[in-house]
Structure formats: structure tokens, C-alpha cells
Amino acid sequence: MIHRSAVRPGPNQKITATRQDVSAGGPAANAAVTAATLGARALLISAMGSGPVGAAARGDLMRHGVEIHDAADGREIPLAVSAVLVDDATGDRSVVSPDATLAGRFDVTAPELDSLPRPDAVLLDGHHPDLARSVLAYARALDPRPLIVLDAGRWRPVFADLLGAADVTARSADFRAPDGVARSRATVATHGSEPVTWCDEDGRRGSTQVPDVDVRDTLGAGDAFHGALVVALARGADLQTAVEEAVRVASVRVQHVGPRAWLENLTCA
């Protein structure tokens, strides 16, 4: 649930929003929408259930071309609803969410995964730890093995099991892993409007400039970045080229108000 406002509420204060949007969310879901819009076949493995919130989220994702494998198997579950406030002047967003903690624990079996399309690339966000571990183990056993990308926005305990197995970690500038945790072979770090830094598996380092654009809405910009990054890597781009494509897509995202309207302005590179 996304509200746009010219002011932020103080303690015990009510304000009137200038705009309201309702859409599916979460890093992997938004990345999947971006990937599908870029022409990839995008499959989201998550727990959605049959409740009214899950039905709304499912409808939004399917409308944008995302296939869904529901680990909740149609049961009604308390799907998280995020409260999002976007500053009308700056486009900055604030988010309060229970993430996936209300829904409980869900897993997926190897036979279930065998029934799904074989992936060229897998993006993990860690919101459902058991799902992430199971998908990772399955992907690592495939031949050929798909590329594994980890979205590391903020530290989660499950990342101790995921970081060392990922081919690429796409992280925010303030992400910090505890000492002793294995790292991925390649890393991409975003720094807001500052250049994106990267290091590939051969130790080659570089940075990619972020264009100066009119920022209207930053909600989901990182998710769009990750979706575009994975699509480019899956299509054979090297890390530098994939980062450049991801920056291009994220720059389109921030120039448009609302969680989905920007997709009409997204073109394939």
C-alpha cells in the first residue's frame, strides 16, 4: 500500500495523501516484473496463498507477465502488507513491513522444482529462508548450473548460507556481512545517485556512472536494477555491461510516479 504525500506525519498526526497505489511488492517480485517487461520468462517462487491480499498480489504479477509457483499451495496465509510513504518533493520512500515473518515457514521440494522451467539464472532475496536454501541447493545441482545472483539489501541470517554460493552479490552500499562469512566471486554495489561499483570473478574492478535525471519516485528502484542485471547476465553479458543495463533501467524507474506506470517507458536495450 503506497501513499504519496507532500509532508511526513508527526506523532499522533493524520495527513492526506495526494496519491495511492496498491501493487505486489518485495524485491524478488518487483525484479520479476522488470525481467518480464524486458522480455525474459520470469517465474516467482514464493508463498502467496488464497487470501484476498494474495489474490490481489497474484493478479498484479500475472498481469505483468510473471509466472508464479505458490509454496503455500493455495492455503490462506497472512501475507505481509507494507506501508510505504513516498515524499512528493524528493521521491524518497519510507517503508514499514513485517516482510515474510507473518506468513510462517515454507519450503519447496526437488520434484516440485523439477516440474518448473529450467532457469538460466536464479535471483534470491532471502525473504523466505527455507525456500531460498532449497532453491539454491537445487540450482547448484543442475547441469548446466544456472547463474546465481543474490539481492543483499540488508543483512539477514540466511545470507550466511547464500553469500558464498552466489556467483554475483548485488548489494546496497550500507550492506555489511559479519566477519567470517564467505563472499561471492563477484560483487555489485549501488550507492544511490553515486556511481555503481563492481568487481567481477577475475578481480577486474570498475564503476558505472548514474545519469542525472529528474527523480520522482525511488520505490523499487533497486529491485528494477536487480531484475535488469539478472536478465543481462542470463543473456551472456559480462558484469560491466550488465551493470550498465541495470543502471539504465533503474534510471527509467525513478523518473516515473507509481509502482508500475514506469514500465510503459521501459524498452529493451
Side-chain angles (χ1 to χ4, degrees):
M1 181 70 72
I2 306 156
H3 289 102
R4 192 172 182 94
S5 174
V7 296
R8 292 180 179 272
N12 201 34
Q13 180 186 10
K14 296 180 180 180
I15 59 174
T16 300
T18 58
R19 176 184 172 122
Q20 173 182 285
D21 292 282
V22 179
S23 77
N30 287 332
V33 169
T34 302
T37 304
L38 289 170
R41 184 176 183 180
L43 171 70
L44 177 69
I45 300 174
S46 189
M48 302 185 70
S50 61
V53 178
R58 184 188 304 273
D60 176 50
L61 293 171
M62 293 178 67
R63 188 163 54 250
H64 289 93
V66 176
E67 301 174 41
I68 300 166
H69 180 76
D70 185 5
D73 195 26
R75 303 189 302 276
E76 185 167 349
I77 62 172
L79 197 65
V81 176
S82 300
V84 183
L85 179 64
V86 179
D87 189 308
D88 202 34
T90 67
D92 291 338
R93 85 290 188 267
S94 302
V95 181
V96 179
S97 175
D99 295 334
T101 57
L102 298 181
R105 299 180 64 171
F106 293 91
D107 208 344
V108 63
T109 66
E112 286 179 87
L113 294 170
D114 265 336
S115 70
L116 303 176
R118 287 288 178 95
D120 297 306
V122 173
L123 174 67
L124 302 172
D125 71 5
H127 273 265
H128 286 284
D130 294 331
L131 283 178
R133 292 186 183 99
S134 295
V135 170
L136 174 62
Y138 179 82
R140 295 180 74 184
L142 291 177
D143 185 18
R145 187 176 76 78
L147 181 80
I148 297 168
V149 181
L150 179 63
D151 171 358
R154 52 191 167 100
W155 173 256
R156 303 176 187 277
V158 67
F159 287 164
D161 300 324
L162 306 181
L163 266 171
D167 296 298
V168 180
T169 296
R171 63 177 182 82
S172 61
D174 55 0
F175 177 83
R176 296 291 183 273
D179 292 339
V181 174
R183 305 300 201 268
S184 61
R185 293 186 291 276
T187 303
V188 176
T190 56
H191 305 262
S193 61
E194 298 301 312
V196 178
T197 56
W198 51 267
C199 177
D200 66 18
E201 61 180 4
D202 297 322
R204 194 168 61 105
R205 297 176 179 272
S207 63
T208 299
Q209 294 293 321
V210 174
D212 185 13
V213 298
D214 181 19
V215 176
R216 303 291 310 285
D217 191 341
T218 62
L219 181 66
D223 307 336
F225 180 96
H226 298 139
L229 181 75
V230 172
V231 170
L233 291 170
R235 289 174 173 166
D238 62 22
L239 189 60
Q240 179 178 359
T241 304
V243 169
E244 291 170 353
E245 166 66 355
V247 167
R248 180 189 74 84
V249 169
S251 297
V252 174
R253 166 65 192 102
V254 300
Q255 294 180 70
H256 301 277
V257 174
R260 300 288 185 247
W262 72 281
L263 297 169
E264 299 174 3
N265 300 277
L266 183 58
T267 58
C268 297

